[in-house]
Amino acid sequence: MKIEYRKLTEKYVDQIIDLRIKQLTEEYAAEGKTPPADVDLEAALRDFYVRHMADGTFVSWLAFDGDRIVGTSGMSYVEKPPYFTCPTGRIGLLNSMFTDPGYRRMGIARELLHRVVEEARNYGCGTVHVTASDMGVKLYTAYGFKHNGNFMMYNL
């Protein structure tokens, strides 16, 4: 097995949509939930990927075993007023980290993480944020991410 890494392009959008829905379904199941039947994410995901790849505010690296995508990563870029620990105001929002269960514990996620973190660095981000799944915490901690007890969320 030889894993090849490629950036997401429109050529792979259909595949990445399927994998993203698989990832979200797995995360829901891990929390003992069932995804809502009335939510169809396919069109919204297609719009997101195409629009944000085009405007440069989203980048993704994919891991391939032959023609099959076995791992994904994503980084969205946002900007807010600069502050002392992020003087550029540019923030990377890490997302879409997923490795096929049969390919886990092989270094694929770490390589994908490294590639999108470097993309964020090159974009001028001063920090990268992630909302980690239980499974992801070990990966992110080993890479050097630190917990921020101040993070809060308000669902609209």
Side-chain angles (χ1 to χ4, degrees):
M1 166 183 50
K2 181 179 180 330
I3 301 299
E4 183 181 335
Y5 297 91
R6 301 178 203 155
K7 273 179 115 169
L8 174 63
T9 64
E10 284 198 50
K11 175 180 178 179
Y12 305 117
V13 167
D14 287 337
Q15 289 172 279
I16 197 84
I17 289 169
D18 290 342
L19 283 171
R20 178 68 175 156
I21 292 170
K22 180 180 177 181
Q23 172 193 4
L24 294 170
T25 301
E26 181 180 295
E27 289 173 1
Y28 257 73
E31 295 174 5
K33 301 180 198 172
T34 303
D38 62 337
V39 176
D40 179 10
L41 291 178
E42 190 171 334
L45 284 167
R46 183 177 316 287
D47 174 66
F48 174 87
Y49 292 129
V50 171
R51 190 164 33 94
H52 289 289
M53 282 191 304
D55 72 11
T57 59
F58 179 76
V59 65
S60 174
W61 279 89
L62 311 173
F64 285 82
D65 183 3
D67 291 334
R68 183 173 171 229
I69 298 174
V70 297
T72 66
S73 64
M75 187 74 71
S76 298
Y77 304 125
V78 298
E79 194 167 349
K80 63 188 237 179
Y83 51 100
F84 290 123
T85 58
C86 185
T88 66
R90 292 182 179 178
I91 298 169
L93 299 177
L94 181 62
N95 56 72
S96 305
M97 291 293 299
F98 181 75
T99 305
D100 182 283
Y103 290 81
R104 292 182 181 161
R105 313 284 310 153
M106 302 169 104
I108 294 169
R110 182 172 174 76
E111 180 62 28
L112 289 168
L113 175 61
H114 180 70
R115 287 172 184 254
V116 291
V117 166
E118 288 305 307
E119 293 276 356
R121 186 184 321 279
N122 292 336
Y123 188 81
C125 292
T127 189
V128 172
H129 295 187
V130 63
T131 302
S133 66
D134 290 341
M135 199 176 348
V137 170
K138 289 180 185 176
L139 169 69
Y140 305 131
T141 302
Y143 195 83
F145 281 72
K146 306 281 187 248
H147 286 275
N148 178 347
N150 294 329
F151 179 79
M152 298 176 74
M153 180 172 68
Y154 182 78
N155 287 328
L156 300 175

